[in-house]
Amino acid sequence: GESVGLHLPTLSVQEGDNSIINCAYSNSASDYFIWYKQESGKGPQFIIDIRSNMDKRQGQRVTVLLNKTVKHLSLQIAATQPGDSAVYFCAENMGPKTSYDKVIFGPGTSLSVIP
Amino acid sequence: ETGVTQSPTHLIKTRGQQVTLRCSSQSGHNTVSWYQQALGQGPQFIFQYYREEENGRGNFPPRFSGLQFPNYSSELNVNALELDDSALYLCASSRTRDGTEAFFGQGTRLTVV
Protein backbone atom coordinates (compact mmCIF):
# COMPACT_ATOMS: atom_id res chain seq x y z
CA GLY A 1 0.00 0.00 0.00
CA GLU A 2 0.92 3.62 -0.01
CA SER A 3 2.29 5.22 3.11
CA VAL A 4 4.58 7.96 4.19
CA GLY A 5 5.72 7.78 7.77
CA LEU A 6 8.06 9.48 10.18
CA HIS A 7 10.57 7.84 12.50
CA LEU A 8 10.30 10.43 15.30
CA PRO A 9 6.96 11.96 16.27
CA THR A 10 8.57 14.61 18.52
CA LEU A 11 11.96 16.30 18.51
CA SER A 12 13.44 18.79 20.98
CA VAL A 13 16.49 20.75 19.92
CA GLN A 14 18.60 23.42 21.59
CA GLU A 15 18.57 26.78 19.86
CA GLY A 16 21.53 27.05 17.51
CA ASP A 17 21.91 23.32 17.04
CA ASN A 18 21.11 21.49 13.81
CA SER A 19 17.85 19.54 13.50
CA ILE A 20 17.29 16.40 11.49
CA ILE A 21 13.78 15.17 10.78
CA ASN A 22 13.42 11.78 9.13
CA CYS A 23 10.74 10.28 6.93
CA ALA A 24 10.20 6.85 5.35
CA TYR A 25 8.10 6.24 2.29
CA SER A 26 6.95 2.96 0.81
CA ASN A 27 5.90 3.80 -2.75
CA SER A 28 8.86 3.41 -5.06
CA ALA A 29 6.83 5.00 -7.89
CA SER A 30 6.77 8.37 -6.16
CA ASP A 31 8.88 10.88 -8.02
CA TYR A 32 8.45 14.10 -6.08
CA PHE A 33 8.80 14.81 -2.38
CA ILE A 34 7.99 17.88 -0.35
CA TRP A 35 8.59 19.11 3.17
CA TYR A 36 5.99 21.33 4.79
CA LYS A 37 6.04 23.30 8.03
CA GLN A 38 2.78 23.83 9.87
CA GLU A 39 2.48 26.28 12.73
CA SER A 40 -0.44 26.19 15.10
CA GLY A 41 -3.62 27.53 13.51
CA LYS A 42 -2.09 27.85 10.05
CA GLY A 43 -2.03 25.84 6.86
CA PRO A 44 1.08 23.90 5.80
CA GLN A 45 3.88 26.10 4.45
CA PHE A 46 6.09 24.81 1.63
CA ILE A 47 9.73 24.53 2.73
CA ILE A 48 11.62 22.61 0.10
CA ASP A 49 11.06 19.90 -2.48
CA ILE A 50 13.12 17.32 -4.31
CA ARG A 51 12.58 15.13 -7.34
CA SER A 52 13.55 11.49 -7.49
CA ASN A 53 16.39 12.17 -9.95
CA MET A 54 18.23 14.06 -7.20
CA ASP A 55 19.64 12.94 -3.86
CA LYS A 56 20.24 16.31 -2.24
CA ARG A 57 18.85 19.80 -2.47
CA GLN A 58 19.71 22.86 -0.42
CA GLY A 59 17.71 25.90 0.48
CA GLN A 60 18.15 28.68 2.97
CA ARG A 61 19.24 26.90 6.19
CA VAL A 62 17.49 23.72 5.03
CA THR A 63 18.72 20.67 3.17
CA VAL A 64 16.67 17.72 1.97
CA LEU A 65 18.31 14.36 1.40
CA LEU A 66 16.70 11.55 -0.55
CA ASN A 67 17.89 7.96 -0.36
CA LYS A 68 15.88 5.96 -2.87
CA THR A 69 17.65 2.72 -2.01
CA VAL A 70 16.12 2.63 1.46
CA LYS A 71 13.17 4.90 0.64
CA HIS A 72 14.20 7.52 3.15
CA LEU A 73 13.85 11.29 3.18
CA SER A 74 15.31 13.72 5.68
CA LEU A 75 15.10 17.43 6.39
CA GLN A 76 18.08 19.14 7.96
CA ILE A 77 17.66 22.56 9.53
CA ALA A 78 20.87 24.42 10.31
CA ALA A 79 21.20 26.68 13.35
CA THR A 80 17.68 25.97 14.56
CA GLN A 81 15.79 29.02 15.79
CA PRO A 82 12.73 29.37 18.05
CA GLY A 83 10.70 30.31 14.97
CA ASP A 84 11.39 26.86 13.58
CA SER A 85 9.14 25.32 16.25
CA ALA A 86 6.27 23.69 14.37
CA VAL A 87 5.01 20.39 13.01
CA TYR A 88 6.92 19.21 9.97
CA PHE A 89 5.33 16.97 7.36
CA CYS A 90 6.98 15.07 4.59
CA ALA A 91 4.80 14.36 1.60
CA GLU A 92 5.11 12.42 -1.60
CA ASN A 93 3.48 13.23 -4.89
CA MET A 94 2.84 10.28 -7.14
CA GLY A 95 3.01 12.49 -10.20
CA PRO A 96 1.40 11.93 -13.55
CA LYS A 97 2.27 8.23 -13.71
CA THR A 98 -0.86 7.26 -11.81
CA SER A 99 -4.45 7.79 -12.87
CA TYR A 100 -4.66 10.88 -10.74
CA ASP A 101 -2.27 13.16 -8.98
CA LYS A 102 -2.20 13.58 -5.26
CA VAL A 103 0.03 14.40 -2.40
CA ILE A 104 0.25 11.90 0.45
CA PHE A 105 1.28 13.36 3.78
CA GLY A 106 3.03 11.61 6.60
CA PRO A 107 1.76 11.93 10.20
CA GLY A 108 4.14 14.78 11.10
CA THR A 109 6.98 15.47 13.54
CA SER A 110 6.66 18.14 16.19
CA LEU A 111 9.85 20.16 16.53
CA SER A 112 10.38 22.13 19.73
CA VAL A 113 13.29 24.54 19.97
CA ILE A 114 14.63 25.14 23.47
CA PRO A 115 15.91 28.73 23.94
CA GLU B 1 1.04 35.10 3.06
CA THR B 2 0.43 32.55 0.30
CA GLY B 3 -2.35 34.39 -1.54
CA VAL B 4 -4.72 31.47 -0.96
CA THR B 5 -7.69 32.49 1.13
CA GLN B 6 -10.38 30.30 2.63
CA SER B 7 -13.72 31.16 4.13
CA PRO B 8 -15.09 30.91 6.67
CA THR B 9 -12.23 30.40 9.13
CA HIS B 10 -14.42 28.61 11.66
CA LEU B 11 -17.78 26.92 11.35
CA ILE B 12 -20.08 24.91 13.59
CA LYS B 13 -22.70 22.65 12.04
CA THR B 14 -25.15 20.06 13.29
CA ARG B 15 -24.97 16.41 12.28
CA GLY B 16 -26.99 15.81 9.10
CA GLN B 17 -26.59 19.35 7.80
CA GLN B 18 -24.79 20.40 4.64
CA VAL B 19 -21.81 22.76 4.44
CA THR B 20 -20.01 24.71 1.71
CA LEU B 21 -16.43 25.83 2.14
CA ARG B 22 -14.76 28.29 -0.20
CA CYS B 23 -11.25 28.82 -1.48
CA SER B 24 -9.77 31.62 -3.53
CA SER B 25 -6.64 30.48 -5.37
CA GLN B 26 -3.43 32.40 -5.74
CA SER B 27 -3.36 34.49 -8.91
CA GLY B 28 -2.23 32.47 -11.91
CA HIS B 29 -2.94 29.10 -10.28
CA ASN B 30 -5.34 26.82 -12.16
CA THR B 31 -5.09 23.71 -9.98
CA VAL B 32 -6.71 23.42 -6.58
CA SER B 33 -6.64 20.53 -4.15
CA TRP B 34 -8.69 19.99 -1.01
CA TYR B 35 -7.50 18.19 2.10
CA GLN B 36 -9.02 17.11 5.40
CA GLN B 37 -6.77 17.33 8.45
CA ALA B 38 -7.98 15.69 11.63
CA LEU B 39 -6.46 16.87 14.89
CA GLY B 40 -2.93 15.56 15.34
CA GLN B 41 -2.74 14.01 11.88
CA GLY B 42 -1.40 14.88 8.48
CA PRO B 43 -3.70 16.25 5.77
CA GLN B 44 -5.62 13.65 3.77
CA PHE B 45 -6.25 14.26 0.06
CA ILE B 46 -9.93 14.69 -0.84
CA PHE B 47 -9.84 15.71 -4.51
CA GLN B 48 -8.15 17.97 -7.01
CA TYR B 49 -9.49 20.23 -9.76
CA TYR B 50 -7.67 21.41 -12.84
CA ARG B 51 -9.31 24.01 -15.06
CA GLU B 52 -12.79 23.30 -13.67
CA GLU B 53 -12.61 19.51 -14.02
CA GLU B 54 -11.98 16.94 -11.29
CA ASN B 55 -8.47 15.65 -11.78
CA GLY B 56 -8.28 13.05 -9.05
CA ARG B 57 -10.03 11.89 -5.92
CA GLY B 58 -8.94 10.35 -2.65
CA ASN B 59 -10.77 7.84 -0.48
CA PHE B 60 -13.73 10.01 0.50
CA PRO B 61 -17.45 9.18 0.04
CA PRO B 62 -19.59 10.87 -2.64
CA ARG B 63 -21.16 13.20 -0.10
CA PHE B 64 -17.88 15.13 -0.43
CA SER B 65 -18.15 17.06 -3.68
CA GLY B 66 -16.54 20.08 -5.21
CA LEU B 67 -16.54 22.72 -7.88
CA GLN B 68 -13.96 24.91 -9.53
CA PHE B 69 -15.09 28.11 -11.19
CA PRO B 70 -13.76 29.90 -14.31
CA ASN B 71 -11.74 32.23 -12.10
CA TYR B 72 -10.23 29.08 -10.51
CA SER B 73 -11.79 29.67 -7.11
CA SER B 74 -13.26 26.54 -5.61
CA GLU B 75 -15.88 25.11 -3.29
CA LEU B 76 -15.97 22.01 -1.16
CA ASN B 77 -19.45 20.73 -0.32
CA VAL B 78 -20.18 18.12 2.31
CA ASN B 79 -23.66 16.65 2.66
CA ALA B 80 -25.18 14.73 5.57
CA LEU B 81 -22.48 15.84 7.98
CA GLU B 82 -21.18 13.31 10.47
CA LEU B 83 -19.36 13.92 13.74
CA ASP B 84 -16.16 12.50 12.21
CA ASP B 85 -16.21 15.23 9.58
CA SER B 86 -14.99 17.62 12.26
CA ALA B 87 -11.55 18.69 11.04
CA LEU B 88 -9.47 21.43 9.48
CA TYR B 89 -10.22 21.64 5.75
CA LEU B 90 -7.36 22.94 3.67
CA CYS B 91 -7.20 23.99 0.08
CA ALA B 92 -3.99 24.32 -1.87
CA SER B 93 -3.48 25.96 -5.23
CA SER B 94 -0.80 25.35 -7.79
CA ARG B 95 0.10 26.58 -11.27
CA THR B 96 1.07 23.06 -12.30
CA ARG B 97 -1.37 20.32 -13.29
CA ASP B 98 0.35 17.75 -11.07
CA GLY B 99 -0.07 19.99 -8.03
CA THR B 100 3.62 20.52 -7.39
CA GLU B 101 4.70 23.76 -5.72
CA ALA B 102 1.32 23.99 -4.04
CA PHE B 103 0.52 26.76 -1.59
CA PHE B 104 -1.98 26.23 1.21
CA GLY B 105 -4.60 28.49 2.68
CA GLN B 106 -5.04 28.85 6.43
CA GLY B 107 -7.89 26.36 6.46
CA THR B 108 -11.48 26.24 7.68
CA ARG B 109 -12.03 24.65 11.07
CA LEU B 110 -15.32 22.69 10.87
CA THR B 111 -16.92 21.38 14.02
CA VAL B 112 -19.90 19.04 13.72
CA VAL B 113 -22.02 18.67 16.85
Side-chain angles (χ1 to χ4, degrees):
Chain A
E2 306 163 353
S3 68
V4 177
L6 296 176
H7 293 295
L8 297 172
T10 60
L11 179 65
S12 294
V13 176
Q14 200 73 35
E15 182 179 357
D17 287 351
N18 297 333
S19 303
I20 300 177
I21 302 172
N22 296 303
C23 176
Y25 65 95
S26 61
N27 195 324
S28 57
S30 294
D31 64 353
Y32 178 64
F33 303 88
I34 318 111
W35 280 100
Y36 286 96
K37 171 187 179 183
Q38 188 173 26
E39 298 173 279
S40 181
K42 296 184 179 180
Q45 175 189 352
F46 174 91
I47 303 173
I48 192 168
D49 58 2
I50 189 168
R51 292 205 174 269
S52 58
N53 61 352
M54 302 172 68
D55 54 20
K56 180 179 180 179
R57 192 169 186 215
Q58 288 184 295
Q60 187 177 11
R61 281 202 307 120
V62 295
T63 300
V64 54
L65 299 177
L66 175 63
N67 186 328
K68 295 179 287 294
T69 302
V70 295
K71 297 177 186 173
H72 184 267
L73 194 68
S74 70
L75 176 69
Q76 301 178 1
I77 305 174
T80 312
Q81 302 169 0
D84 295 328
S85 294
V87 177
Y88 288 81
F89 293 98
C90 67
E92 61 181 311
N93 186 312
M94 296 179 66
K97 297 176 186 177
T98 56
S99 59
Y100 55 89
D101 308 311
K102 62 179 182 180
V103 172
I104 304 170
F105 282 77
T109 290
S110 178
L111 174 65
S112 294
V113 180
I114 304 166
Chain B
E1 296 294 326
T2 65
V4 180
T5 57
Q6 293 185 242
S7 62
T9 55
H10 296 83
L11 195 57
I12 300 175
K13 288 286 190 177
T14 303
R15 187 172 50 183
Q17 285 188 312
Q18 178 267 343
V19 70
T20 297
L21 309 181
R22 294 179 174 83
C23 173
S24 177
S25 302
Q26 185 167 328
S27 179
H29 287 192
N30 52 24
T31 300
V32 66
S33 303
W34 284 92
Y35 295 82
Q36 179 194 67
Q37 186 177 23
L39 198 62
Q41 297 183 19
Q44 298 294 311
F45 175 77
I46 303 175
F47 44 57
Q48 182 184 75
Y49 280 83
Y50 171 72
R51 293 188 174 182
E52 303 178 59
E53 292 191 1
E54 188 176 289
N55 188 40
R57 190 177 180 90
N59 189 27
F60 279 81
R63 58 190 185 83
F64 285 78
S65 63
L67 281 174
Q68 188 181 29
F69 299 100
N71 65 356
Y72 303 134
S73 65
S74 177
E75 286 183 354
L76 165 65
N77 299 290
V78 187
N79 294 321
L81 283 166
E82 301 176 0
L83 297 180
D84 286 349
D85 295 333
S86 296
L88 180 69
Y89 288 85
L90 297 159
C91 84
S93 74
S94 169
R95 57 182 173 81
T96 62
R97 188 173 187 272
D98 61 8
T100 56
E101 299 181 25
F103 294 91
F104 282 82
Q106 82 285 1
T108 293
R109 172 69 63 187
L110 173 65
T111 302
V112 182
V113 298

